[in-house]
Amino acid sequence: MRIEKLIVSNFKKFEEKTFEFHPQFTLLVGENGTGKTAILDALNIGAGAYLLGIPEMQAPSIKRKFIRRETRQNGEFATFEPIVPCAVSCTGQVHGSNLSWTRTLSSSRGRTDRAGATKLRVRVEEIYQANGQETNFPLIACYGTNRLWIEPRTGSSVSSVVRQPIGKQSRFEAYRGCLNTAISSEFVRRWVKKMELIKLRKERRLKSIDAVYSAVIGCVEGVREVWYDFEHDDISLEFGSGEMSLFEILSDGQRSMTALAADLAMRCVQLNPHLSSEAPHETEGVVLIDELDLHLHPNWQRGVVRNLVSLFPKLQFVATTHSPFIVQSLDGQGLINLNDVGTLEERREIFSIEDVAEETMGVESPQRSKWFLKMEAAALHYYKLLEHLDSDDPKVEEAKAELDRIENRFSDYPAYSALLKLHRSAAQ
């Protein structure tokens, strides 16, 4: 499965907008409020329409909060009126067929229409019913900013949210909870533990668990070995320095990438068990990640796109970021800059961090700190005021008072303050 084009109508902040995506990796950038997460929400609904053809799985619907609202002034008060229909349309490839499909919410109190996705549903049902042993099913997954710290609900409704790793499972259980944005770290532990117990009972290596460990090693900087520690009942990681750590005490960045890599690889292995250790490399699908740079040091940010594309080369990633280091690392991948026209461009030219920050992300003079720029502006203003001191300008006293305020403002910077006073003495 691959999504080539997305059209949204009256969806969140967008009245009508079309987006195209790179077949392998698309990065969404833009200031807060430009619609990055809105695009992921729309793709969640568009890609999730695939689940209409998988029995017992629930496809995401268009929620009321996604409907675009217009502000209208009625007398003394402003109202926010929902504008319908709200629609998400996609064009892409599904099991070798070029398809277009639409999910529509025609009323703020209605239900999301399935009719526009009939061709997609029928195509998926055909593949599902055939369910050949060699049939590859696409991975669909969405990871939000809450992906590690909000554990999916458990309890009586657990079957609708978190997959159960105990007992016999259908390959299609990999779709359960795949678009809920949060990762169940508890499920990650339980799945790995179960596979290790099976390995011990059969007294042989399991390529599926090796594939998950390899994904973690490839995504988490410095890790050279992963295993399940039965003594501490947790996943254990060994780093190149010789240091060992349990999953629960890893840093935020390490936990985030470990859980993300493991969850992706596990779903690939479960969906396509016939691919064995090659499942992460051969599984197609769509993966959405909000704030890819979350908790990651800049050194890790520079390599995260490369690592994901290398480990999961047939998945189509769409991610958001505020990191110029991730934008800089794109090499032949796609970029959609919502500060600009919002169209897809490929990045092949080498850009400096300053170029990315200023030209792509709209940061003024990124070579200098914001405080330095304020000091520079104050100095220029200061020097202009000095020109009034030896004139007959009636505003001389006002200029002197302003000079005093500037000097006091920067009194914590002795050298800078002394320089200003030196110029003032010279002018007098």
Side-chain angles (χ1 to χ4, degrees), residues 40-41 44-45 48 51 57-61 63 65 140-154 157-163 173-184 263 267 286 288 290:
L40 293 190
D41 288 335
N44 187 309
I45 295 165
L51 300 181
M57 297 300 159
Q58 186 174 0
S61 58
K63 301 175 183 178
K65 66 179 182 180
I140 305 169
C142 181
Y143 303 99
T145 55
N146 64 337
R147 50 184 173 266
L148 192 59
W149 306 118
I150 300 180
E151 191 76 15
R153 293 177 292 111
T154 57
S157 60
V158 69
S159 62
S160 65
V161 180
V162 182
R163 298 165 293 153
E173 283 297 303
Y175 287 130
R176 196 174 302 281
C178 64
L179 295 171
N180 288 332
T181 73
I183 300 173
S184 172
D263 194 70
R267 292 181 189 273
V286 179
L288 314 173
D290 203 3

Side-chain angles (χ1 to χ4, degrees), residues 84-232:
V84 290
C86 175
V88 173
S89 300
C90 293
T91 299
Q93 293 189 10
V94 182
H95 291 292
S97 299
N98 295 320
L99 296 175
S100 294
W101 63 96
T102 301
R103 303 299 310 277
T104 304
L105 183 61
S106 299
S107 166
S108 60
R109 296 189 178 275
R111 301 179 114 185
T112 305
D113 185 12
R114 300 161 55 111
T118 299
K119 290 183 178 180
L120 171 66
R121 178 180 56 79
V122 170
R123 178 60 177 151
V124 176
E125 286 177 346
E126 291 173 351
I127 302 299
Y128 173 83
Q129 290 167 4
N131 193 8
Q133 291 186 352
E134 301 300 315
T135 302
N136 289 359
F137 282 88
L139 171 64
I140 305 169
C142 181
Y143 303 99
T145 55
N146 64 337
R147 50 184 173 266
L148 192 59
W149 306 118
I150 300 180
E151 191 76 15
R153 293 177 292 111
T154 57
S156 60
S157 60
V158 69
S159 62
S160 65
V161 180
V162 182
R163 298 165 293 153
Q164 295 298 291
I166 306 303
K168 296 181 180 179
Q169 285 186 302
S170 163
R171 65 194 294 187
F172 302 107
E173 283 297 303
Y175 287 130
R176 196 174 302 281
C178 64
L179 295 171
N180 288 332
T181 73
I183 300 173
S184 172
S185 58
E186 178 60 23
F187 176 76
V188 171
R189 289 190 182 95
R190 293 171 67 186
W191 189 91
V192 171
K193 182 178 182 179
K194 173 190 173 183
M195 299 305 291
E196 286 285 6
L197 289 171
I198 294 173
K199 183 171 72 172
L200 288 172
R201 189 178 71 244
K202 292 188 175 183
E203 297 183 341
R204 62 180 175 83
R205 294 183 63 183
L206 294 180
K207 294 181 179 180
S208 55
I209 190 66
D210 287 344
V212 174
Y213 289 158
S214 294
V216 173
I217 292 170
C219 278
V220 184
E221 293 291 329
V223 174
R224 68 181 182 188
E225 189 175 358
V226 184
W227 70 96
Y228 197 85
D229 188 330
F230 286 97
E231 182 180 356
H232 295 94

Side-chain angles (χ1 to χ4, degrees), residues 322-337:
H322 288 288
S323 168
F325 294 100
I326 293 182
V327 176
Q328 185 192 39
S329 71
L330 294 177
D331 182 12
Q333 309 299 332
L335 178 76
I336 295 178
N337 185 359

Side-chain angles (χ1 to χ4, degrees), residues 208-261:
S208 55
I209 190 66
D210 287 344
V212 174
Y213 289 158
S214 294
V216 173
I217 292 170
C219 278
V220 184
E221 293 291 329
V223 174
R224 68 181 182 188
E225 189 175 358
V226 184
W227 70 96
Y228 197 85
D229 188 330
F230 286 97
E231 182 180 356
H232 295 94
D233 200 22
D234 200 358
I235 298 170
S236 187
L237 300 89
E238 181 179 353
F239 294 84
S241 61
E243 177 187 1
M244 289 184 287
S245 177
L246 299 176
F247 174 79
E248 67 176 7
I249 60 175
L250 290 171
S251 71
D252 289 356
Q254 291 168 330
R255 279 170 56 85
S256 177
M257 289 309 301
T258 298
L260 176 64

